[in-house]
Amino acid sequence: SKEGNVQAKGIAFVQGTNGFSFLCISRKQDFKTFQPIARSMVKGTRFMPEKMAGVIRPDRMRVHRVKQGETWAGISTRYFGSPEKMGQLAEYNGLEITASPTVGILLKIPPSSRLQNL
């Protein structure tokens, strides 16, 4: 901040090729209150065993290359189980639903939970 009223502390952890970091930022006057909460979060953080990490499949954004003959309704049904989300899918990609998606373009397919928030 230009006024100098922000304080931050960064902490990074690495184990093998994996790592994560925390960046704790707050207003300077709140930092002493915030710091114990951040410290507690850091102490409670653990690397999970590789075997467990392989089982977890987080819901992530995917990419779909539009093929000849595909429609918004078909793409929506493929990824979300029904054509109801086709307008939201087009909007998420910054496109209009009034025309079929262009063959060859890449569409971002968000996790279904993200699509609900549009």
Side-chain angles (χ1 to χ4, degrees), residues 47-67:
F47 282 95
M48 70 175 59
E50 190 173 334
K51 187 175 183 179
M52 182 186 288
V55 174
I56 296 173
R57 301 263 183 231
D59 201 8
R60 297 180 181 209
M61 184 170 65
R62 294 170 280 180
V63 176
H64 176 83
R65 184 179 301 274
V66 177
K67 296 178 188 96

Side-chain angles (χ1 to χ4, degrees), residues 13-116:
F13 299 86
V14 177
Q15 180 177 333
T17 59
N18 298 313
F20 57 91
S21 61
F22 291 94
L23 180 60
C24 307
I25 302 172
S26 75
R27 295 183 309 174
K28 203 172 218 175
Q29 62 265 32
D30 297 332
F31 198 78
K32 284 185 180 180
T33 303
F34 178 67
Q35 200 168 9
I37 297 167
R39 189 175 294 123
S40 174
M41 289 171 52
V42 169
K43 284 183 179 180
T45 302
R46 302 283 181 263
F47 282 95
M48 70 175 59
E50 190 173 334
K51 187 175 183 179
M52 182 186 288
V55 174
I56 296 173
R57 301 263 183 231
D59 201 8
R60 297 180 181 209
M61 184 170 65
R62 294 170 280 180
V63 176
H64 176 83
R65 184 179 301 274
V66 177
K67 296 178 188 96
Q68 184 69 40
E70 287 189 306
T71 64
W72 287 113
I75 297 167
S76 177
T77 300
R78 176 179 176 182
Y79 290 100
F80 305 111
S82 81
E84 293 176 9
K85 304 283 186 188
M86 63 185 187
Q88 291 172 300
L89 181 60
E91 182 180 338
Y92 187 80
N93 282 277
L95 301 169
E96 297 290 328
I97 192 115
T98 55
S100 293
T102 305
V103 173
I105 68 167
L106 298 175
L107 297 175
K108 298 177 289 187
I109 309 295
S112 57
S113 59
R114 290 257 326 262
L115 199 59
Q116 292 170 359

